[in-house]
Amino acid sequence: IEREALRIRDIVQNLLALTPQKNAADALVDVNRVVDSALGLMTRPIVAARIQVKKELDANLPKIRGRASDLQQSVVALLSNARNAMPDGGTLTVSTRSVDGKLIKLLVEDTGPGIAPEIMDRIFEPFFTTKPTPDSKGLGLAMVHRVVQDHGGKIAVDSGPGRGAAFSITLTAAREKTHLV
């Protein structure tokens, strides 16, 4: 009974995490720092899977407004999916870049087997999973999608059989406050 109660608690918490949050613009967030933190959390499982990490972070990346913890959780979910897609090793590329100082692009790309075209429309659906294990809830990409939307951004995926998967997140850079004199 206790095990099932804890399972139900986890499901409810995950469902709550999928609900839109009213104000994602809490603070200025350094996306590069979020990426570094997420990679730090995932270092051990990535290394254990014999995955080479390429980190290409734009040193002049503008900040965004948002919640660093939510963004970090999203990057961890993308890194975890990439690791799971490459159980026998591969290359994981994480990059950031600024687009005209107005947009931030974050890319998480793996060299795994790719996503089958017939499931591409479903990957952001809550509870959709391709993993056969019972502990897979299928909430990771749904949560990432919700967080990106809460931050006023867009997420896209480019993938196909045999060519890995590239998840691209686009967010708006924070505007500088102007002071009238």
Side-chain angles (χ1 to χ4, degrees):
I1 292 172
E2 180 181 351
R3 185 184 77 227
E4 289 304 305
L6 291 172
R7 187 178 70 81
I8 290 168
R9 180 201 64 192
D10 290 345
I11 290 171
V12 170
Q13 285 176 339
N14 287 329
L15 285 172
L16 288 173
L18 291 173
T19 61
Q21 302 297 311
K22 294 226 189 256
N23 188 5
D26 291 334
L28 286 176
V29 176
D30 180 342
V31 174
N32 285 341
R33 186 173 284 174
V34 167
V35 169
D36 281 335
S37 179
L39 281 168
L41 291 171
M42 292 297 296
T43 297
R44 195 171 253 173
I46 288 172
V47 168
R50 298 177 313 281
I51 295 170
Q52 177 189 3
V53 176
K54 287 185 184 176
K55 185 170 78 167
E56 302 164 357
L57 305 183
D58 183 342
N60 299 313
L61 199 67
K63 293 183 179 182
I64 65 160
R65 289 212 170 271
R67 283 189 303 275
S69 60
D70 287 356
L71 291 168
Q72 179 185 343
Q73 185 179 6
S74 296
V75 175
V76 166
L78 292 174
L79 295 173
S80 179
N81 281 359
R83 181 208 62 215
N84 292 338
M86 301 182 289
D88 299 321
T91 303
L92 171 64
T93 304
V94 183
S95 62
T96 59
R97 68 181 173 92
S98 172
V99 180
D100 298 328
K102 297 178 183 175
L103 297 175
I104 307 291
K105 290 268 192 183
L106 166 63
L107 181 71
V108 177
E109 187 173 12
D110 67 62
T111 57
I115 301 169
E118 58 270 13
I119 65 167
M120 190 69 83
D121 322 0
R122 301 193 60 208
I123 63 172
F124 294 113
E125 289 178 13
F127 303 109
F128 177 76
T129 183
T130 58
K131 297 175 191 156
T133 58
D135 61 331
S136 299
K137 296 176 184 78
L139 294 172
L141 287 177
M143 181 273 305
V144 172
H145 188 263
R146 193 258 320 146
V147 167
V148 171
Q149 282 186 328
D150 285 352
H151 284 78
K154 302 240 183 255
I155 185 167
V157 62
D158 181 27
S159 183
R163 61 182 181 94
F167 286 86
S168 174
I169 295 174
T170 305
L171 300 165
T172 303
R175 293 185 187 176
E176 296 291 323
K177 291 187 178 185
T178 55
H179 298 282
L180 298 177
V181 180

